[in-house]
């Protein structure tokens, strides 16, 4: 018997301790963690500066709700939009909530409800975000979903041109489809989306829940594309392991999210904000971003060199290895060899190291993958 609902396919590993890029299970077996809690641990496990920020804040003030002025939230929002075309922020607790806020704001602002999202996207599990998600298996069994989403093939300019019109409130996409298989938007598609949004007055929502907070080597992944979103959603890396989500938007949207339109009891509480501010102060910095880019280049170069059969996709430290071997078996073989990885889509292994991963740790990861996939071929096609 179990006291838990069995809504997760959990690996049978009980982790009890973490430091940097490593975790230990209850038998004290050590693993190199290239999941980072699914792109959450931007600075690795138990980062000393985050531990410090949390300790300090925990003795001052944890939570007041949003009944009161919150200057720290104001500062965090300002840090997130600094040197971008975005102007305002709203805080919540997760990625799905950030997307709910985005969907509500886009509907409220445009007074329209048709939205375009893409096949194999992932936007979350609550009703709006689940309905936005372009995957049948995510909707299955829940009855009528929010009906106003239209799912188009990703990176298909013609399909988009045919579907987007003056009735469309918003187009929503991930710069790299994360859960759906590590599929980056093509430069042509990003350009086409932006042109259509400009021409038809459609809002652009970029879901950066997985790609944001330096994961791709820039603060936000959209900065490397032609996309100029009206709304950006964030979560995963933002709190470095502490739950917090955010929605950022342009100045013209300000009046549409007026008092009483949306809210969250926990969203942006003092504890979450103190930790997220430390994450942002650390990651939104030229040197840090250059290091992420250098680590990403090194990782991809080593993977290409040592695992020639893999199709390497992704941006920055969101890396997908397209493999012919069955992904669940590869994940299990990696665990046996002392490394944690996660799948994406049906035939992709996803590598999500902490953003401050070292060269030695990358070498260790590539050596484990090489042994499993190339040398000893622990898992065959
Ligand atoms: C993980 C994810 C979400 C959902 O975030 P939760 O915090 O699990 O609600 C939404 N969008 C993208 C792109 C994600 O990767």
């Amino acid at each position: 018997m179990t006291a838990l609902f069995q809504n997760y396919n959990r690996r049978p590993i009980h982790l009890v301790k973490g430091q940097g890029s490593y975790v230990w299970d209850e038998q004290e077996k050590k693993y190199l963690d290239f999941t980072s809690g699914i792109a959450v641990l931007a600075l690795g496990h138990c980062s000393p500066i985050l531990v410090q920020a949390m300790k300090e804040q925990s003795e001052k003030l944890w939570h007041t709700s949003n009944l009161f002025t919150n200057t720290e939230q104001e500062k965090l929002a300002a840090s997130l939009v600094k040197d971008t075309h975005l102007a305002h922020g709203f805080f919540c607790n997760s990625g799905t909530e950030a997307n709910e806020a985005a969907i509500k704001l886009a509907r409220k602002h445009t007074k329209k409800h048709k939205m375009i999202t893409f096949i194999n996207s992932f936007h979350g599990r609550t009703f709006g975000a689940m309905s936005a998600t372009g995957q049948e298996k995510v909707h299955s069994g829940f009855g009528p979903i929010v009906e106003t989403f239209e799912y188009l093939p990703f990176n298909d300019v013609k399909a988009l041109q045919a579907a987007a019109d003056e009735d469309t409130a918003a187009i929503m996409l991930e710069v790299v489809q994360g859960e759906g298989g590590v599929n980056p938007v093509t430069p042509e598609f990003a350009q086409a989306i932006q042109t259509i949004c400009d021409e038809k007055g459609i809002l652009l929502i970029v879901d950066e829940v997985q790609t944001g907070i330096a994961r791709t080597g820039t603060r936000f992944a959209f900065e490397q594309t032609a996309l100029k979103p009206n709304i950006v959603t964030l979560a995963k890396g933002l709190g470095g392991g502490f739950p917090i989500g955010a929605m950022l938007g342009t100045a013209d949207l300000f009046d549409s999210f007026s008092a009483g339109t949306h809210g969250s009891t926990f969203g942006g509480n003092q504890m979450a904000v103190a930790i997220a501010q430390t994450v942002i102060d650390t990651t939104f910095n030229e040197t840090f971003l250059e290091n992420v880019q250098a680590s990403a280049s090194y990782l991809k170069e080593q993977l290409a060199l040592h695992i020639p059969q893999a199709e390497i996709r992704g941006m920055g430290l969101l890396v997908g290895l397209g493999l012919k071997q069955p992904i669940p078996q590869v994940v299990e073989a990696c665990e046996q060899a002392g490394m944690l990885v996660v799948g994406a889509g049906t035939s992709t292994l996803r590598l999500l190291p902490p953003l401050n991963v070292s060269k030695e740790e990358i070498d260790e990861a590539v050596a484990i993958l090489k042994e499993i996939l190339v040398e000893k071929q622990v898992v065959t096609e």
Side-chain angles (χ1 to χ4, degrees), residues 94-97 99 122-124 174 179 207 209-210 235-236:
S94 65
T96 202
E97 283 174 79
N99 287 331
F122 185 80
H123 299 298
E174 298 154 87
E179 307 298 311
D207 178 346
V209 169
Q210 191 155 160
K236 293 197 166 90

Side-chain angles (χ1 to χ4, degrees), residues 9-318:
N9 235 326
R10 295 176 191 270
R11 304 293 311 142
I13 297 176
H14 178 203
L15 300 168
V16 293
K17 192 177 82 172
Q19 191 60 62
S21 300
Y22 292 95
V23 279
W24 287 262
D25 71 12
E26 61 186 343
Q27 277 92 43
E28 287 178 30
K29 178 170 173 176
K30 184 182 179 185
Y31 301 87
L32 177 61
D33 185 1
F34 267 40
T35 68
S36 299
I38 319 187
V40 164
L41 301 153
L43 304 178
H45 290 273
C46 300
S47 157
I49 54 168
L50 296 188
V51 170
Q52 186 61 28
M54 185 176 203
K55 276 188 183 158
E56 280 174 18
Q57 188 62 44
S58 73
E59 290 173 355
K60 270 198 263 178
L61 186 66
W62 289 35
H63 174 90
T64 57
S65 85
N66 289 296
L67 287 170
F68 307 100
T69 299
N70 189 328
T71 308
E72 292 74 25
Q73 244 184 49
E74 182 81 37
K75 181 178 173 213
L76 179 59
S79 302
L80 287 167
V81 300
K82 186 168 178 269
D83 301 325
T84 73
H85 65 287
L86 302 158
H88 308 290
F90 159 80
F91 293 101
C92 51
N93 313 287
S94 65
T96 202
E97 283 174 79
N99 287 331
E100 291 295 327
I103 293 163
K104 283 179 70 176
L105 176 56
R107 280 184 168 216
K108 187 100 190 340
H109 186 75
T110 61
K111 304 186 178 66
K112 300 173 192 170
H113 51 249
K114 174 177 157 181
M115 290 198 189
I116 292 174
T117 60
F118 298 96
I119 294 168
N120 289 329
S121 59
F122 185 80
H123 299 298
R125 298 287 193 168
T126 52
F127 243 89
M130 169 180 84
S131 303
T133 295
Q135 296 188 52
E136 186 52 42
K137 67 170 200 270
V138 174
H139 306 158
S140 165
F142 295 105
I145 57 171
V146 180
E147 286 153 5
T148 53
F149 292 95
E150 194 173 329
Y151 316 107
L152 300 183
F154 196 48
N155 287 328
D156 184 335
V157 176
K158 285 215 171 66
L160 182 67
Q161 282 166 342
D165 56 26
E166 273 74 22
D167 291 334
T168 310
I171 298 174
M172 179 167 173
L173 79 153
E174 298 154 87
V175 178
V176 182
Q177 291 185 331
E179 307 298 311
V182 192
N183 310 313
V185 70
T186 61
E188 304 74 50
F189 197 58
Q191 187 58 66
I193 289 175
Q194 192 57 53
T195 304
I196 288 173
C197 286
D198 291 342
E199 280 174 7
K200 302 196 191 290
I202 299 171
L203 290 181
L204 177 59
I205 304 172
V206 174
D207 178 346
E208 296 246 15
V209 169
Q210 191 155 160
T211 54
I213 319 298
R215 174 54 57 185
T216 68
T218 47
R219 296 168 302 173
F220 309 103
F222 77 77
E223 294 177 279
Q224 299 176 55
T225 72
L227 300 169
K228 203 172 172 204
N230 305 83
I231 299 174
V232 172
T233 56
L234 301 168
K236 293 197 166 90
L238 178 56
F242 200 88
I244 180 169
M247 178 194 68
L248 310 178
T250 49
D252 54 318
L253 301 173
F254 187 71
D255 290 337
S256 297
F257 245 22
S258 54
T261 51
H262 195 55
S264 165
T265 299
F266 290 117
N269 83 4
Q270 284 79 357
M271 190 68 96
V273 164
I275 296 167
Q277 186 69 55
T278 309
V279 171
I280 296 307
D281 291 345
T282 308
T283 56
F284 281 23
N285 150 317
E286 248 351 281
T287 314
F288 188 92
L289 294 170
E290 279 164 17
N291 281 333
V292 174
Q293 289 160 22
S295 298
S297 303
Y298 182 68
L299 172 59
K300 283 179 201 163
E301 168 201 306
Q302 291 299 304
L303 289 168
L305 190 65
H306 294 288
I307 306 163
Q309 82 270 33
E311 187 200 333
I312 300 163
R313 298 190 304 271
M315 275 170 78
L317 287 175
L318 165 50

